[in-house]
Amino acid sequence: MSSAIAEGLAAVRERVAAAERRAGRQAGSVQLLAVSKTKPPEALREAHAAGHRAFGENYPQELRDKAATLADLSGLELHAIGSLQSNKAKYVAASAASFHALDRLGLAEELSKRCLALGRVLPCFIEVSIAGETTKGGIAPDALAPFLEAIEPLTGIRTVGLMCMPPALDQAEASRPHFARLRALRDGLLPRFPNLTGLSMGMSGDFEVAIEEGATVVRVGSLIFGHR
Ligand SMILES: *Cc1c(COP(=O)(O)O)cnc(C)c1O
């Protein structure tokens, strides 16, 4: 049974593999999160039937509801990729495989507390305001090291990398310097924070450039599930 979603997935997987080869990177070194926000549970079922397991969700209650509705799908992973209010941290702690938009100490504390109560550790990416946009979420590059130090004692979360969302979503080459900068930031912090290996960067419009610049996770929605 072929579907538009299965076809979209196959096409994106092929482009991920081609970008890995171009960049001289190992096949399978980039994780593809299929971003399924606002799409019905049936869309995730279709992708799961096509062999896909890892999904990205933005809204905590939607993630919670999908986790419940899709509990029968083996190996399903719902990753929380959107900005998060502290009062909704409980949904992410309970149901998310990882969190990609950590940007405040208070939120880190709340997530850690909730995860400890559940006996789990949540892998987290720190969101970085890579283009210096103060209106959007994210930690300023200068503030990264102190932030990483401040959250180090929180044992319910584990910082596994950095995440960014460059401003020009539809112009891949415009994103390249931002991706390169995130990688350089990560490389500079690695000696002091050796768990910080991940780079969550790249969306439908620019994931190939992100892979060329070192992404370990790409978050691709509309190319797989269609426009929202
Ligand atoms: C929606 C979203 C994506 C996917 O965007 P597409 O352009 O549909 O691929 C990736 N990351 C985040 C944080 C998002 O909110």
Side-chain angles (χ1 to χ4, degrees):
M1 187 188 76
S2 179
S3 72
I5 290 172
E7 282 165 23
L9 259 175
V12 171
R13 285 202 195 110
E14 210 162 283
R15 286 171 63 180
V16 166
E20 285 171 340
R21 281 194 300 274
R22 253 195 331 273
R25 300 184 53 187
Q26 207 179 330
S29 57
V30 177
Q31 182 184 28
L32 171 63
L33 295 190
V35 176
S36 44
K37 63 182 176 205
T38 76
K39 298 294 175 180
E42 294 70 44
L44 289 84
R45 284 193 185 277
E46 271 187 55
H48 187 272
H52 200 76
R53 297 293 177 266
F55 297 87
E57 290 285 341
N58 280 57
Y59 310 106
Q61 284 105 326
E62 185 179 343
L63 189 152
R64 171 201 62 190
D65 293 346
K66 281 178 175 161
T69 308
L70 301 171
D72 59 302
L73 296 184
S74 68
L76 181 76
E77 295 175 18
L78 299 179
H79 297 261
I81 62 173
S83 58
L84 181 63
Q85 294 172 274
S86 294
N87 64 357
K88 293 179 182 154
K90 54 181 179 265
Y91 304 129
V92 168
S95 305
S98 74
F99 176 50
H100 288 237
L102 185 58
D103 63 356
R104 307 184 307 282
L105 181 57
L107 177 60
E109 288 169 342
E110 182 65 17
L111 280 169
S112 181
K113 188 182 83 179
R114 295 278 178 180
C115 287
L116 284 176
L118 294 164
R120 67 169 301 208
V121 177
L122 179 70
C124 290
F125 292 79
I126 312 296
E127 182 170 357
V128 181
S129 58
I130 199 69
E133 299 165 294
T134 47
T135 51
K136 285 200 192 163
I139 302 266
D142 292 355
L144 263 178
F147 182 70
L148 286 162
E149 266 164 32
I151 64 176
E152 222 166 22
L154 302 174
T155 51
I157 61 174
R158 189 175 70 240
T159 308
V160 296
L162 303 179
M163 177 272 212
C164 76
M165 287 219 290
L169 298 179
D170 48 349
Q171 297 160 41
E173 285 304 325
S175 296
R176 189 185 294 277
H178 301 301
F179 294 149
R181 180 141 187 256
L182 195 72
R183 180 192 187 146
L185 275 171
R186 192 270 320 260
D187 291 348
L189 291 162
L190 260 179
R192 167 71 179 84
F193 304 98
N195 292 331
L196 202 72
T197 53
L199 289 173
S200 171
M201 56 190 198
M203 305 172 36
S204 286
D206 56 16
F207 70 96
E208 288 152 310
V209 167
I211 291 170
E212 289 166 14
E213 297 299 330
T216 63
V217 185
V218 293
R219 312 176 310 266
V220 179
S222 38
L223 276 181
I224 296 169
F225 294 107
H227 288 291
R228 288 179 295 271

